[in-house]
Amino acid sequence: MENFSLFEGKLLLWLQDNVRTDFLNAPLCFITRTKVTVAVWALFLLVLFLFKKTRKASLAGGCGAVLSFLTCNLILKNIFDRARPFVVIEQLQIIGKIPGDSSFPSGHTSLCFACAAAVCFFVPKKLAVPGFCFAFLIAFTRLYVGAHFPSDVFFGMINGILCGIISFFICRFVFNQAEKKEAVREFLGE
C-alpha cells in the first residue's frame, strides 16, 4: 500500500509541475467548487424535468445524487477518514478552497457519476454523453487542484456509478408501480 501511495503522490506532483497553468487554474478551481458542481447538475436535471420524455431521467438523477451523498459523504468518508493529499505530501500545494472533510472517496466525483449513470438509463446517448463528460471533467479537477488522491477519485467513480445503477432500479420499480396503478384506475374508469 505504501508503494501505491507513493505512486499517487508522484502523479499529483507531476500534475502540479507539468499540467497546472495560470490559464487553467481559475476556470478549473471555479468549476470544481461544490456549489458550482451541484448547480450544474441541478440545472441539467431541472431541464430534463421540464420535458415529459426526460422527466424519469431527472428523477433518477436526483435519486442518484441523494444516494451518492448518503453513501459517500455520510458513510464512507467517516469510515475511512483519509487525510487529504496536500496534508500528506509536503510539496503539493492545493489551489482553491481547502476542503474540511476526509479525502476518501471523492464526493464531487461520486455525485457526478451517480447523476450521469442514473440519467443514462432513461435518455438517448446524445443526452447522456454530456453528463459523463462533465463527470470526467470534475474527476480531473479534483486531482488538478490537489484535493484528492487518484484512488479517491477512482472509488468516487465506482461509488457514483453503483449509486446511479441502484437509483435506476429504484426508480424503475417506482415508475412501474405508478403506471400499474394508473392502468387500474383507467380500467375502472376513475
Side-chain angles (χ1 to χ4, degrees):
M1 189 67 174
E2 205 171 295
N3 286 338
F4 186 69
S5 293
L6 184 62
F7 167 75
E8 289 191 288
K10 285 183 178 184
L11 179 62
L12 290 174
L13 289 172
W14 182 86
L15 282 172
Q16 175 178 275
D17 297 340
N18 298 290
V19 179
R20 279 188 190 175
T21 65
D22 292 336
F23 177 75
L24 290 176
N25 287 354
L28 293 184
C29 281
F30 175 76
I31 201 159
T32 200
R33 289 182 185 160
T34 303
K35 290 177 185 175
V36 174
T37 303
V38 170
V40 167
W41 274 109
L43 182 62
F44 183 65
L45 295 176
L46 177 65
V47 169
L48 290 176
F49 189 79
L50 294 176
F51 301 96
K52 191 173 182 176
K53 259 184 156 174
T54 56
R55 195 162 288 153
K56 290 178 181 179
S58 174
L59 295 171
C63 181
V66 169
L67 277 177
S68 169
F69 178 76
L70 293 173
T71 59
C72 185
N73 295 68
L74 297 184
I75 298 171
L76 295 174
K77 282 183 178 278
N78 289 314
I79 290 172
F80 292 100
D81 197 27
R82 186 180 195 185
R84 296 279 179 167
F86 59 87
V87 173
V88 178
I89 304 165
E90 192 175 304
Q91 304 92 326
L92 185 65
Q93 297 173 356
I94 187 164
I95 51 175
K97 187 179 175 190
I98 297 175
D101 61 350
S102 142
S103 188
F104 183 88
S106 168
H108 284 70
T109 304
S110 181
L111 168 80
C112 291
F113 277 91
C115 290
V119 165
C120 83
F121 289 106
F122 294 99
V123 296
K125 283 182 188 174
K126 66 182 178 184
L127 288 178
V129 168
F132 279 107
C133 288
F134 183 70
F136 278 107
L137 174 63
I138 293 301
F140 172 73
T141 65
R142 303 312 291 161
L143 300 173
Y144 182 89
V145 300
H148 285 286
F149 289 100
S151 57
D152 300 338
V153 169
F154 176 75
F155 283 101
M157 287 174 162
I158 299 297
N159 185 70
I161 290 169
L162 289 174
C163 289
I165 291 169
I166 291 167
S167 296
F168 162 70
F169 285 113
I170 290 170
C171 290
R172 186 177 70 172
F173 175 78
V174 170
F175 299 149
N176 286 342
Q177 294 303 310
E179 288 169 5
K180 285 178 186 175
K181 285 182 182 180
E182 185 63 31
V184 169
R185 282 191 197 120
E186 285 179 20
F187 179 75
L188 296 175
E190 293 179 5

